Amino acid sequence: MRFIDEVNIFVQAGKGGNGIISFRREAHVDKGGPDGGDGGNGGSVFFKGDAGENTLLQFYYQNKIVAKDGENGKPKNAYGANAEDLIVKVPFGTMVYDKENKLIADVIDDQLYLIAKGGKGGRGNLKFKSSRNTAPRICENGLSGEKHELHLVLKVLADIGFVGKPSAGKSTILSLISNAKPKIADYDFTTLVPQLGMVQYYDKSFVVADLPGLIEKASEGKGLGIQFLKHIERCKVIAHIIDFGSENKNPIEDYEVINNELKSYNLKLEQLPQVVIANKSDLPSFEQHLSEFKKKFKKVKLIPYSALYNENIDVIKNALWNALDKVRQNVSLVEQNEDVVVVSMKKDPIKIHRLNENTWEITGEEVIEAYERIPLVSLDNLWRLNKKLSSLGVHDLIRSHNVKNGDTIRIKDYEFSWNEEDFQQEKY
C-alpha cells in the first residue's frame, strides 16, 4: 500500500430540502388552509479517527466527498426526510487545513469532527400562517451545504519516535519490542515510510513509530528529508537508536547530527525527553565507542543492546515508559508540542462591486444565503427578500455608493432595477 501523507480534497455537505407552498384540497372542505411541509436537512460531513487507517491513499484516488441532500417538503404537512450524515474515516493524526492554510480540525481521537455542515431545510407555508395572514403564499428553499477546498496532512500519532542514521537498527528493535512487522535488511533506507507498533509493558501500553533514517541536512531536504521529519512533531519522547558497534561508525557524530536536524526543523523537538539506545553491543568496536561517548556526554544515559543476543528488551521498555510517563504528568511539556484542534471559519463580508457603468453586484455569504433561502415564486416572498436585504444593510450599502436610479443590481443570477423610492425602509 502506498503511503500518502498529504493530499488536497473537496468536501461538500448536502443541501437542505425546499419547503413548499400548498393548500389543503379536499371535497366538501371549504378553506382548507395551508399545508405545505418543511424540507429535510442536508447531510453533514464528519471525519472520524480510525486506528486501522495509516495513510491518506483513499483521498488520493477519491478526492471529492459529497453528502446527500435533504428531501423537499410535501403537501398535507409532510416533512421531507433528513439526509444521513457522511462519516469519513481518517488516520489518527490527520490535520485538516482550509484553502487559506488555517487549521480547522486535528483528528487525534475517534470522536466525530464536523468538517462541513449540511444545509438546513426550508419551511413550508404552514409555518407562516398567522392571524394576520391565514393563507400565506410564502415558503423557503433549503440552504446549501458548506463547501470547502481542504488540504489534509497526516502526522503520525505516536508516543515515542525512533530516530537515527540509516541502518542503525531502528526497525529491528521495533519488531522486538512491539507488534510491528517492519522490513529489515542490511542496506540503507529499508524503512521508506513511518512504521507504527504497539508496545505492551506489563499492564501498560504505548505506541512507537520507526521513522525513516535521517542524514545530515535532512531538514533541508537531503535524503528522505522533511518528508518524514514532520512525523516526529507528534511524539512526546525521542528515542535515539545509534550504532555503537560498527567500526566505520561514529556514535558521537551521529548523535550530534540527528539532534541538529531535529533542532533545525522544529525548535520544540530538542526540548523533548530523549532515550539513547546504544545498539550492536556484540560487535568489537562497541566498548571503545561507548567509552568515547560517555566522556563526551557524561549526563546522557545509555542502554546497551544487541539484536544478536536479544538483551535488555525489558530495560528498553522500562526506560521508554518512564520517559513517557514523566511527560504525561508534566502538562506544560505536553501542551508545548500539540496543535490547535479547531478553528472556526468566518463568513465573507457583504460587498458591492461595479461590473460596468450601469451594473453592480452584491456579494457576501449572508446575502447569498438569504437569496437562496427565499424562492421568488410569489409576491410575498419577493417582499420578504427585500426586507431581509434591508436588514442586512444592503440597501444602505447601495446608497453609500451613489447607485443611480435605473441601475441594475445583481445577486448571483437574480437582477433587479434600483429605484430609491421603491426601497424606502417604511415600505417593509
Side-chain angles (χ1 to χ4, degrees):
M1 179 182 291
R2 292 179 61 186
F3 180 76
I4 302 293
D5 58 3
E6 290 197 39
V7 69
N8 294 318
I9 66 171
F10 173 77
V11 174
Q12 178 177 331
K15 176 184 177 299
N18 300 331
I20 66 167
I21 297 175
S22 174
F23 293 90
R24 185 179 176 186
R25 295 287 187 267
E26 295 183 26
H28 313 296
V29 176
D30 186 33
K31 298 180 180 179
D35 67 353
D38 298 350
N41 296 328
S44 296
V45 178
F46 291 89
F47 280 3
K48 181 178 182 181
D50 184 4
E53 301 287 338
N54 57 10
T55 175
L56 300 176
L57 181 64
Q58 60 170 318
F59 304 107
Y60 181 80
Y61 294 109
Q62 182 62 44
N63 60 5
K64 188 175 183 180
I65 300 172
V66 181
K68 294 183 178 179
D69 298 338
E71 288 188 355
N72 293 333
K74 303 172 185 177
K76 298 183 180 179
N77 196 28
Y79 285 26
N82 295 329
E84 289 187 8
D85 293 329
L86 181 58
I87 300 175
V88 182
K89 294 181 179 180
V90 300
F92 289 129
T94 300
M95 304 177 72
V96 185
Y97 294 88
D98 64 13
K99 61 182 180 181
E100 297 178 351
N101 205 33
K102 293 181 179 178
L103 183 67
I104 64 170
D106 187 3
V107 184
I108 58 175
D109 51 37
D110 60 358
Q111 297 184 40
L112 293 179
Y113 290 74
L114 179 61
I115 302 300
K117 185 174 178 59
K120 187 176 180 181
R123 293 178 291 176
N125 66 331
L126 177 62
K127 290 291 179 67
F128 295 93
K129 181 181 178 180
S130 66
S131 58
R132 297 178 60 184
N133 189 355
T134 58
R137 295 185 176 275
I138 299 173
C139 67
E140 293 177 334
N141 286 335
L143 293 177
S144 297
E146 292 180 343
K147 302 176 183 179
H148 301 306
E149 295 177 7
L150 303 175
H151 181 63
L152 305 187
V153 177
L154 173 61
K155 292 184 179 179
V156 169
L157 199 62
D159 298 308
I160 297 172
F162 279 6
V163 297
K165 287 288 195 71
S167 298
K170 301 186 301 299
S171 298
T172 301
I173 296 178
L174 179 70
S175 67
L176 293 172
I177 70 171
S178 75
N179 61 350
K181 303 297 179 185
K183 181 180 179 181
I184 301 173
D186 59 353
Y187 56 85
D188 291 350
F189 297 114
T190 54
T191 301
L192 297 178
V193 301
Q195 300 288 327
L196 293 178
M198 178 68 72
V199 178
Q200 192 69 37
Y201 181 60
Y202 296 104
D203 60 339
K204 308 173 183 68
S205 63
F206 52 94
V207 179
V208 176
D210 171 21
L211 301 162
L214 300 179
I215 64 173
E216 191 171 3
K217 296 187 178 180
S219 60
E220 298 176 11
K222 295 291 181 69
L224 293 176
I226 61 175
Q227 181 181 1
F228 296 116
L229 262 172
K230 65 186 175 188
H231 293 289
I232 307 174
E233 291 183 17
R234 297 285 188 163
C235 300
K236 299 176 178 66
V237 175
I238 300 296
H240 287 266
I241 313 298
I242 303 176
D243 183 347
F244 272 67
S246 300
E247 184 178 357
N248 61 340
K249 297 292 185 179
N250 186 334
I252 293 176
E253 181 181 314
D254 291 350
Y255 180 68
E256 291 177 336
V257 165
I258 298 302
N259 273 327
N260 285 335
E261 292 310 310
L262 297 179
K263 181 179 179 180
S264 298
Y265 178 70
N266 189 324
L267 293 177
K268 297 178 183 178
L269 298 178
E270 65 177 19
Q271 303 170 16
L272 296 179
Q274 296 187 358
V275 174
V276 180
I277 299 174
N279 196 18
K280 305 185 182 182
S281 62
D282 55 285
L283 296 181
S285 299
F286 182 85
E287 292 300 332
Q288 180 184 348
H289 286 155
L290 186 66
S291 176
E292 293 172 352
F293 191 93
K294 287 182 176 179
K295 289 180 181 178
K296 175 75 172 179
F297 303 103
K298 297 179 181 180
K299 296 183 179 180
V300 176
K301 184 179 178 181
L302 300 173
I303 304 174
Y305 173 75
S306 168
L308 181 63
Y309 301 118
N310 198 18
E311 62 181 6
N312 287 346
I313 289 296
D314 286 338
V315 176
I316 292 175
K317 288 184 179 181
N318 179 264
L320 296 177
W321 169 256
N322 287 338
L324 177 61
D325 192 43
K326 288 181 181 179
V327 174
R328 288 176 171 173
Q329 293 178 20
N330 190 334
V331 178
S332 62
L333 268 179
V334 175
E335 287 180 346
Q336 73 179 4
N337 202 41
E338 290 194 353
D339 299 285
V340 180
V341 174
V342 177
V343 176
S344 60
M345 292 184 176
K346 296 181 179 179
K347 290 188 176 182
D348 294 333
I350 299 174
K351 296 180 180 179
I352 184 169
H353 309 274
R354 189 167 197 162
L355 301 180
N356 55 50
E357 185 178 353
N358 300 312
T359 306
W360 305 74
E361 183 177 32
I362 306 294
T363 60
E365 289 185 39
E366 289 181 296
V367 171
I368 301 302
E369 183 178 301
Y371 169 64
E372 292 181 345
R373 187 69 157 168
I374 303 173
L376 303 183
V377 295
S378 67
L379 184 60
D380 289 351
N381 268 5
L382 180 60
W383 284 114
R384 283 188 67 232
L385 177 60
N386 284 335
K387 184 175 182 179
K388 180 64 176 179
L389 294 179
S390 178
S391 67
L392 290 174
V394 172
H395 294 168
D396 291 337
L397 185 64
I398 293 173
R399 295 185 183 98
S400 68
H401 282 73
N402 298 318
V403 177
K404 299 177 182 179
N405 288 341
D407 282 0
T408 298
I409 307 295
R410 178 183 299 171
I411 301 176
K412 289 195 72 174
D413 57 351
Y414 171 64
E415 294 182 349
F416 62 91
S417 293
W418 174 255
N419 188 300
E420 178 71 25
E421 293 184 2
D422 291 340
F423 293 92
Q424 295 295 330
Q425 183 68 30
E426 57 269 17
K427 289 198 174 191
Y428 306 120

